Amino acid sequence: MEKSTGRESESKRSNLVATQARRKSSVNAIALARARGETVDVVEDASLLSEADRRLAEMGYVQVYKREFSWLSCFSFAVSISGLFASVSTTYVYPLEAGGPASAVWGWLISGFGCMCIALSVSELVSAYPTSGGLYFTCKYLAPEAWVPEISWLCGWLNLLGQIAGAASTEYGCAQLLLAAVSMNSDFSYVPTNDQTVGVMAAITLFHGSINSLNTSILEKITRGYVIFHVGVLVSCCITLLVMCKDKHDSSYVWTNVVPDAGWSPSGFSFLFGFLSASWTMTDYDATAHIAEEIKNPELKAPWSISAALGFTYIGGWLFTIVLSYCSGDPATTLASPIEQPVAQIFYNNIGRAGGVFFTVCAFIILNFTGITAIQAGARTVWAFSRDEMLPFSRLWFKINKTTQTPLYAVWIFVIVSTVINLLGLGSYAAISAIFNLTAIALDWSYCIPIICKMMYGQFEPGPWHLGKASFWINLWAVIWTLFVSIIYVLPTLRPVTKENMNYVCVIMVAVALFAVIYWYAAGRFYYTGPRVKAQLAETSGGALVAEQFTKISEGDEKVDEKSAVES
């Protein structure tokens, strides 16, 4: 009992220190804003704020959304963003093609551990600073004050780029799975083309955008039951494959036989590509953070959901990969599938047409949930960045629809950009593969930037969910792993390299980097100052706490704040 009381006291002291640090930072920001001729307006009595809204005000923002997400829906959201069953179904091709089943099995185990370290590091930061800006916002507290604008700018653009690429690749995967099911049902007499895949992708993306145009309460209800369906499909598929497969590989083949058919020499290079499936599946860790302002008690629910969901994805994904490897048949035959979806072909070979179609459709449904949550998280990111005036036309994307109480303009600009990126598929499938690669690289480095700042500058004040003494070492391995796996992301998986199998992610990354740098020096540095202060908890003359809302007034501009941003 004494130990328990001690831990509670320590936790309270930690929370108090963190709160005081946030208030001090916001007070300094308010003072700086006033020095620049900007004003601060009192908007409401802090005694009316919930604990979560009070903490948000301490970090400089006014609560806009309704907090609808509970423990179950928050965990389900975090699970859905990885889309384990469907993501493995669409990415298993890469380790199977490059190194064979053994590469897939060991690659998932090793890569998944590195991804878990990133997830735990992200969870710790989200607990301390739970806002819709996600990891981008944490740079305000973790980086040296003089460098906050530049570091936040870099981190924010990487995160937004990764989320757009992730949503685009998810929507494309949805189209692939749906058309694979149609092709399988026709006994492969119908073979989808790239143009058809892109067309179906556009329709699915618009559907997901429509779902995200609903209010938060409906989105929470849609998300809540997903995890139960997902677990049911995963378990039933594994059991069915193990029972129905008549010609399983032996354990020696699954665990030790690396098939260097990718053309790389020595064969160890082929083995390394086994890391890709797990790294592409276990990403977008901070998606749950981007809905933090829609979660009750986000400082606990968001980090617990992220860490638990990624733990489930790590273990469940590895077990599913093992089952697929035992039941994969001859890799050359499986990879030669006319639908170019080896896992769907494994379903067909072992379960038959009806069973294959059923589980492929299940994967399609699961990936739809991933697409819906990816657009929700992405739209909230656009909205949060616009709140800080980071994006062009920020005042438009920042508007909240008065009917749904959600940022519809942000939703639809995110949908449009994701769709336009997928039009690259009309020219070459290699371009779409580059988008897959870009997702993981951009997102992982947007997480590592604040993690590095946390380790280097020692300004971090932990929230109620933290890693304790293990924090530094987990953070360190997260950064080392990201650096290592980023090299694998940019390599072509097959040799000799041709224009059809070239990995064009380097080209895209350079183009994006040039855009971000040019845009910063041409415009961004003149108006962007990092995450802004929109609210502040301060002492009045009577000693009572009040919430103050910050608005900027420039000559000739109208007054714009969170209240007036709601569409009339």
Side-chain angles (χ1 to χ4, degrees):
M1 180 66 74
E2 291 179 359
K3 290 183 178 180
S4 176
T5 303
R7 284 195 296 267
E8 291 176 1
S9 299
E10 183 181 349
S11 177
K12 289 179 180 178
R13 285 195 297 271
S14 177
N15 290 341
L16 178 60
V17 171
T19 297
Q20 290 172 341
R22 282 191 292 270
R23 285 183 182 173
K24 181 179 179 181
S25 177
S26 292
V27 168
N28 292 339
I30 285 286
L32 180 61
R34 284 174 170 156
R36 291 173 176 169
E38 300 163 350
T39 62
V40 177
D41 300 324
V42 176
V43 294
E44 57 183 326
D45 190 335
S47 63
L48 302 177
L49 297 177
S50 68
E51 182 61 28
D53 293 349
R54 181 189 295 263
R55 291 192 65 186
L56 185 64
E58 288 169 357
M59 291 184 287
Y61 296 131
V62 171
Q63 179 65 25
V64 173
Y65 300 107
K66 292 182 179 180
R67 295 188 182 273
E68 301 281 0
F69 278 74
S70 61
W71 277 107
L72 177 61
S73 54
C74 193
F75 174 69
S76 188
F77 184 96
V79 172
S80 67
I81 203 67
S82 67
L84 176 117
F85 181 79
S87 296
V88 173
S89 296
T90 54
T91 61
Y92 183 73
V93 56
Y94 296 99
L96 183 67
E97 184 177 54
S103 173
V105 170
W106 287 107
W108 186 284
L109 181 65
I110 297 169
S111 181
F113 178 78
C115 293
M116 274 305 302
C117 289
I118 303 174
L120 293 173
S121 300
V122 167
S123 298
E124 186 177 46
L125 293 177
V126 170
S127 177
Y129 315 106
T131 75
S132 293
L135 272 287
Y136 145 86
F137 174 81
T138 67
C139 297
K140 173 181 177 180
Y141 292 95
L142 302 176
E145 187 174 348
W147 287 94
V148 167
E150 289 84 355
I151 293 175
S152 298
W153 180 270
L154 176 61
C155 181
W157 276 106
L158 280 173
N159 189 268
L160 183 58
L161 172 66
Q163 289 201 60
I164 292 171
S169 59
T170 298
E171 304 296 352
Y172 198 89
C174 279
Q176 286 180 312
L177 287 172
L178 180 60
L179 293 178
V182 173
S183 178
M184 192 183 302
N185 194 53
S186 70
D187 285 325
F188 306 113
S189 61
Y190 161 71
V191 178
T193 64
N194 276 353
D195 292 358
Q196 291 168 340
T197 304
V198 171
V200 173
M201 172 279 304
I204 293 172
T205 308
L206 292 177
F207 170 67
H208 292 166
S210 300
I211 294 294
N212 273 281
S213 298
L214 304 173
N215 62 47
T216 300
S217 177
I218 296 176
L219 291 173
E220 187 272 340
K221 290 180 175 65
I222 291 173
T223 306
R224 190 188 306 163
Y226 159 83
V227 68
I228 300 172
F229 173 75
H230 193 164
V231 173
V233 170
L234 181 64
V235 173
S236 61
C237 181
C238 289
I239 293 173
T240 303
L241 280 174
L242 291 174
V243 171
M244 298 292 289
C245 181
K246 304 302 182 185
D247 188 21
K248 298 182 185 70
H249 291 299
D250 59 36
S251 294
S252 175
Y253 178 84
V254 170
W255 294 91
T256 64
N257 187 34
V258 176
V259 184
D261 289 341
W264 283 90
S265 181
S267 59
F269 278 102
S270 296
F271 176 82
L272 294 179
F273 293 113
F275 297 150
L276 295 180
S277 182
S279 295
W280 282 332
T281 301
M282 296 177 65
T283 190
D284 206 359
Y285 312 97
D286 77 330
T288 308
H290 291 297
I291 62 165
E293 294 174 38
E294 299 166 76
I295 300 173
K296 303 167 186 175
N297 302 320
E299 68 280 359
L300 284 174
K301 290 179 181 175
W304 270 116
S305 296
I306 294 169
S307 54
L310 269 295
F312 163 75
T313 301
Y314 180 27
I315 297 171
W318 188 49
L319 294 177
F320 186 37
T321 299
I322 292 171
V323 171
L324 289 175
S325 298
Y326 273 102
C327 303
S328 60
D330 176 41
T333 303
T334 303
L335 289 167
S337 170
I339 55 176
E340 298 181 345
Q341 289 292 312
V343 174
Q345 188 67 46
I346 291 171
F347 294 158
Y348 182 86
N349 292 345
N350 292 288
I351 310 173
R353 186 178 70 176
V357 169
F358 173 78
F359 282 114
T360 303
V361 170
C362 285
F364 166 72
I365 294 172
I366 287 171
L367 207 57
N368 270 267
F369 278 98
T370 303
I372 291 169
T373 53
I375 290 176
Q376 184 180 356
R380 300 309 186 264
T381 304
V382 171
W383 178 84
F385 290 0
S386 298
R387 176 169 59 184
D388 294 331
E389 299 182 34
M390 176 179 160
L391 305 179
F393 310 108
S394 286
R395 294 188 177 189
L396 179 61
W397 317 133
F398 180 61
K399 287 185 177 180
I400 299 292
N401 182 270
K402 68 176 183 178
T403 302
T404 64
Q405 292 297 303
T406 54
L408 293 188
Y409 289 117
V411 168
W412 284 101
I413 188 61
F414 191 86
V415 167
I416 290 169
V417 174
S418 299
T419 304
V420 169
I421 283 180
N422 269 333
L423 295 181
L424 291 172
L426 294 173
S428 168
Y429 182 74
I432 295 299
S433 296
I435 297 299
F436 274 26
N437 283 333
L438 184 62
T439 300
I441 294 175
L443 285 176
D444 287 357
W445 279 108
S446 76
Y447 307 145
C448 284
I449 289 172
I451 292 171
I452 292 171
C453 289
K454 171 181 175 287
M455 292 190 295
M456 287 183 62
Y457 301 113
Q459 300 177 180
F460 175 68
E461 295 293 343
W465 194 104
H466 59 88
L467 299 170
K469 294 181 179 179
S471 178
F472 176 83
W473 301 107
I474 293 174
N475 294 169
L476 181 62
W477 184 249
V479 175
I480 292 173
W481 174 256
T482 301
L483 179 62
F484 169 71
V485 81
S486 294
I487 298 171
I488 301 174
Y489 286 143
V490 302
L491 295 175
T493 56
L494 299 176
R495 296 190 69 184
V497 178
T498 65
K499 65 178 182 179
E500 286 78 20
N501 64 25
M502 171 62 183
N503 188 345
Y504 291 98
V505 70
C506 294
V507 178
I508 297 177
M509 284 294 293
V510 169
V512 171
L514 286 175
F515 168 79
V517 171
I518 292 172
Y519 185 32
W520 169 256
Y521 282 103
R525 65 194 176 106
F526 297 113
Y527 67 84
Y528 179 71
T529 59
R532 304 206 175 200
V533 176
K534 299 289 185 178
Q536 165 68 7
L537 290 179
E539 294 285 346
T540 66
S541 57
L545 284 173
V546 295
E548 297 180 323
Q549 179 161 314
F550 162 74
T551 57
K552 178 178 179 179
I553 303 176
S554 58
E555 188 176 353
D557 285 350
E558 66 182 69
K559 184 176 180 179
V560 178
D561 56 31
E562 263 96 337
K563 301 299 182 183
S564 63
V566 178
E567 293 177 350
S568 58

